[in-house]
C-alpha cells in the first residue's frame, strides 16, 4: 500500500472546551509505534506484507518484538489463549504454523504428493477444479479448486506431522477438519481422525464421522483438542469415506480444504483479492495461506 495513502490519513483531536481550546492533526506516520502495532493487528496477513514495505516506521512496528505485533495477532485470532507466556521470538513462527500444517491439501503439487493412500473400491479420484462452490476455495485460482472423491469401498488418505514437536509439548490447541459433502444421487459416510502420538507409545485419538448429516452441500466438520499429557511427538491426520449404495465408480464422500492448525478455530476463509496470490509466491513456486492460498506448508510473513 503506497505511503501516499497513509500520509493522507489524519486524526483530528479536540480537547474538552472547559480545559482549553486546542486542536491538532496527526498523520498516521507520526503515531507512536505501539499504537501503530495495535492498528495493524486486525489487518490480513496479505496486506501486512504491503504495509511493512511502506516505510521504516511501519516495518518496525510490525517486526520489532518490543511492540508485540505478532503476539497481539495470535491472541486476536484465537491462536493462543493460554496464560503461559511465549517468548516474543516465537509468536511470529506460531502465527505461521496456525494456518495449515498439512502439505498439499488441495492437490496443487500433484494428486498424491504428501499423502499415504489406501485405495478401496475403485480408489480415490481427484476431481480437478470441481470444488468451485466450496466456501474455503471459491476465491482461489481455479487450478486449486480441487476435491478428493471416494468410492464404494473405504478409501483412506493419511498424513503424519512430526516437525512441530516443540509446539505440541507446550499444550497448544489443535484444530482439525475438512469440508465434506456427498453426491445428490447417492448417500455417503466419512470419518476424519486425528491421532496424537506420545513418547512412550501412547495414543490419543479423536474422530469426526457422519452419514445422516451429510448433504449435497459443502459442510465444515472440525474439532479443537488438547494433548491430555506431555510428550506429544507427532500428529497423524486421516480421512476416509465411501458411498452407501456400493455403486461402482466414484460416488462416495468428497473432501476439500482439509486442515490441521495450532489454533482454537479453523483457518479463516480466503479473501477475494486476486493480486494477493501473486505477492505470496514462496521459494518452491507455490503460494499460500494453505487455507487461504494453499500449498505452502508455512505462509510467508513480513
Amino acid at each position: 500500500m503506497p505511503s501516499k495513502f497513509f500520509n493522507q490519513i489524519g486524526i483530528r483531536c479536540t480537547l474538552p472546551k472547559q480545559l482549553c481550546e486546542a486542536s491538532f492533526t496527526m498523520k498516521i506516520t507520526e503515531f507512536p509505534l505501539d499504537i501503530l502495532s495495535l492498528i495493524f493487528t486486525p489487518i490480513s496477513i496479505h496486506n501486512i506484507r504491503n504495509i511493512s514495505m511502506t516505510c521504516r516506521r511501519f516495518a518496525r512496528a510490525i517486526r520489532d518484538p518490543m511492540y508485540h505485533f505478532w503476539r497481539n495477532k495470535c491472541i486476536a485470532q484465537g491462536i493462543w489463549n493460554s496464560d503461559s507466556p511465549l517468548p516474543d521470538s516465537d509468536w511470529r513462527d506460531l502465527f505461521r504454523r496456525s494456518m495449515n500444517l498439512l502439505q498439499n491439501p488441495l492437490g496443487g503439487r500433484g494428486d498424491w504428493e504428501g499423502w499415504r493412500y489406501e485405495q478401496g473400491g475403485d480408489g480415490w479420484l481427484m476431481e480437478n477444479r470441481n470444488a468451485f462452490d466450496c466456501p474455503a476455495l471459491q476465491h482461489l485460482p481455479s487450478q486449486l479448486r480441487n476435491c478428493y472423491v471416494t468410492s464404494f469401498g473405504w478409501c483412506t488418505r493419511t498424513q503424519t506431522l512430526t516437525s512441530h514437536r516443540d509446539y505440541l509439548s507446550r499444550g497448544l490447541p489443535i484444530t482439525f477438519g475438512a469440508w465434506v459433502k456427498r453426491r445428490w444421487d447417492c448417500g455417503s459416510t466419512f470419518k476424519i481422525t486425528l491421532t496424537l502420538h506420545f513418547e512412550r507409545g501412547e495414543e490419543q485419538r479423536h474422530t469426526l464421522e457422519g452419514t445422516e448429516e451429510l448433504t449435497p452441500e459443502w459442510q465444515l466438520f472440525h474439532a479443537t483438542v488438547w494433548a491430555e499429557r506431555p510428550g506429544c511427538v507427532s500428529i497423524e491426520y486421516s480421512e476416509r469415506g465411501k458411498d452407501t449404495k456400493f455403486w461402482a465408480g466414484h460416488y462416495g464422500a468428497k473432501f476439500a480444504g482439509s486442515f490441521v492448525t495450532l489454533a482454537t478455530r479453523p483457518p479463516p476463509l480466503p479473501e477475494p483479492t486476486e493480486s494477493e496470490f501473486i505477492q505470496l509466491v514462496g521459494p518452491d513456486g507455490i503460494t499460500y495461506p494453505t487455507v487461504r492460498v494453499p500449498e505452502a506448508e508455512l505462509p510467508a510473513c513480513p
Side-chain angles (χ1 to χ4, degrees), residues 1-11 25-33 35-37 39-40 43 51 54-55 57-58 61:
M1 198 171 291
S3 57
K4 179 180 179 182
F5 172 82
F6 285 102
N7 287 331
Q8 292 173 349
I9 299 177
I11 293 182
T25 299
M26 179 182 290
K27 296 180 179 179
I28 194 171
T29 51
E30 300 171 346
F31 279 22
L33 293 179
I35 301 299
L36 285 175
S37 178
I39 292 174
F40 296 155
I43 298 176
I51 291 172
T54 301
C55 65
R57 283 182 59 79
F58 288 1

Side-chain angles (χ1 to χ4, degrees), residues 11-211:
I11 293 182
R12 185 175 181 81
C13 303
T14 304
L15 299 176
K17 191 171 183 179
Q18 59 270 31
L19 295 178
C20 61
E21 293 186 358
S23 65
F24 65 92
T25 299
M26 179 182 290
K27 296 180 179 179
I28 194 171
T29 51
E30 300 171 346
F31 279 22
L33 293 179
D34 53 346
I35 301 299
L36 285 175
S37 178
L38 291 174
I39 292 174
F40 296 155
T41 296
I43 298 176
S44 74
I45 188 63
H46 312 291
N47 289 325
I48 284 297
R49 292 200 68 200
N50 296 335
I51 291 172
S52 69
M53 294 185 288
T54 301
C55 65
R56 292 182 180 179
R57 283 182 59 79
F58 288 1
R60 186 181 176 191
I62 293 170
R63 297 171 182 172
D64 194 328
M66 181 184 301
Y67 303 108
H68 307 298
F69 171 79
W70 292 109
R71 183 191 67 179
N72 296 337
K73 193 80 172 166
C74 288
I75 294 173
Q77 296 200 8
I79 296 168
W80 179 256
N81 61 354
S82 171
D83 294 330
S84 301
L86 280 175
D88 281 313
S89 59
D90 285 339
W91 289 106
R92 177 176 174 271
D93 190 48
L94 177 59
F95 182 84
R96 298 169 67 205
R97 293 176 188 272
S98 72
M99 293 300 187
N100 196 346
L101 305 183
L102 294 178
Q103 299 183 44
N104 195 31
L106 298 180
R109 300 178 184 175
D111 294 10
W112 320 116
E113 183 176 330
W115 297 87
R116 302 190 307 274
Y117 284 86
E118 296 179 18
Q119 309 282 11
D122 288 330
W124 284 90
L125 173 70
M126 187 179 81
E127 290 187 345
N128 191 13
R129 310 186 183 189
N130 205 28
F132 58 89
D133 56 341
C134 179
L137 312 181
Q138 58 188 233
H139 297 307
L140 298 182
S142 59
Q143 64 268 27
L144 294 177
R145 298 180 195 175
N146 306 319
C147 64
Y148 288 80
V149 190
T150 58
S151 187
F152 59 86
W154 280 113
C155 297
T156 306
R157 66 173 188 163
T158 305
Q159 197 168 131
T160 301
L161 309 170
T162 59
S163 59
H164 315 286
R165 185 169 177 171
D166 291 342
Y167 288 91
L168 298 176
S169 64
R170 299 180 189 183
L172 294 178
I174 304 169
T175 299
F176 69 99
W179 292 81
V180 190
K181 76 172 185 177
R182 64 171 175 85
R183 283 176 57 102
W184 65 272
D185 56 350
C186 184
S188 299
T189 183
F190 76 94
K191 291 183 180 181
I192 300 174
T193 302
L194 185 82
T195 305
L196 306 182
H197 297 276
F198 297 88
E199 291 175 342
R200 297 183 179 180
E202 301 167 311
E203 294 183 352
Q204 176 183 333
R205 184 166 298 169
H206 303 270
T207 300
L208 302 171
E209 58 184 316
T211 302

